[in-house]
Amino acid sequence: MIRTNLALRDFEFTANYPKRLHLQILYKNADDNGFPTREEGEYVYSIEDVVVEIIEQHGDMLAGVVKCDERAHIFAYVKNELGYYDEISEMMSENFPDYAYTLAVFEDKDWGMYFHALYPDRYEYQSIMNMRLIENIKSNGHSMVPRVLEHCLCFKTEEHGEAFLTKVMEEGFTKLSSENLSNNEAIDKKHPYELVIGREDDFENIDETVWYLMDLAEEFDGEYSGWDAIL
């Protein structure tokens, strides 16, 4: 399981945090797949919380947490390692003495671990966004019955967008709106033609639907922007 700080994707000051901190905490009761039991998982969350506090006190950046191989791996990008070894050693010995751990700090000026291992690929990222939107819809009291889902896409030209539309109409999508936004300074000038399409779909199939539209849009020099539900 990987939990990534997605907000760091567009972080402009990576050069100020050239070192990667890697803390490994060994589980005591891992299952056959290398994951902790529910009880131990909740307990290890408390260790993570304290580690995050230490990272934040240093003004550094939590990059993500990976749980596998009978360990919790906590990654952060830091200005330097000063104080970390002593503070984490003291914290573990005083509060979690039964847990074995290792701590290391590496040079990683290009943030290779974050961008090539922790950060999700575009399909995984979109799946995360899909899940967040579905949770938001649920939290507002709406049922998960099939609904018309609106998908927004942007293309370099109207011709590209209309060619894309012809293709997706074969899959049951309909055109809801379109607009040329080339005179709007706030939008991406590379893809000024905005197209909104819709189709009634089941929420449980949203990943497959979105991935299909993402790939097809690329074939027509377009980009997938996102979706919403007609509630």
Side-chain angles (χ1 to χ4, degrees), residues 24-90:
Q24 297 185 65
I25 302 168
L26 183 65
Y27 296 134
K28 296 170 62 179
N29 298 295
D31 61 22
D32 293 339
N33 296 313
F35 297 111
T37 62
R38 168 177 279 185
E39 294 77 12
E40 184 174 29
E42 292 296 326
Y43 187 73
V44 173
Y45 273 130
S46 63
I47 303 178
E48 294 177 27
D49 289 341
V50 179
V51 174
V52 170
E53 287 182 12
I54 293 174
I55 293 169
E56 291 178 345
Q57 288 169 4
H58 280 255
D60 292 325
M61 303 292 170
L62 176 70
V65 178
V66 178
K67 297 183 177 180
C68 65
D69 301 328
E70 302 183 358
R71 294 168 176 81
H73 303 261
I74 301 175
F75 297 95
Y77 280 91
V78 303
K79 296 180 287 295
N80 56 63
E81 62 266 43
L82 296 178
Y84 275 110
Y85 286 97
D86 290 341
E87 292 172 39
I88 289 178
S89 174
E90 181 180 357

Side-chain angles (χ1 to χ4, degrees), residues 80-158:
N80 56 63
E81 62 266 43
L82 296 178
Y84 275 110
Y85 286 97
D86 290 341
E87 292 172 39
I88 289 178
S89 174
E90 181 180 357
M91 178 271 293
M92 292 296 293
S93 62
E94 290 185 0
N95 301 317
F96 310 100
D98 295 333
Y99 276 85
Y101 76 94
T102 61
L103 175 64
V105 178
F106 306 92
E107 287 285 340
D108 190 1
K109 295 179 180 180
D110 296 328
W111 284 37
M113 172 64 74
Y114 179 79
F115 289 111
H116 301 302
L118 294 176
Y119 196 81
D121 64 28
R122 67 194 194 104
Y123 300 103
E124 293 168 334
Y125 179 82
Q126 187 61 53
S127 183
I128 294 170
M129 296 299 103
N130 293 342
M131 181 176 63
R132 288 183 179 179
L133 184 50
I134 288 174
E135 289 303 316
N136 183 58
I137 292 171
K138 288 181 179 178
S139 67
N140 288 326
H142 299 291
S143 61
M144 292 292 100
V145 298
R147 298 178 184 275
V148 174
L149 304 182
E150 298 181 336
H151 302 270
C152 182
L153 305 103
C154 297
F155 297 88
K156 289 185 176 180
T157 67
E158 180 176 352

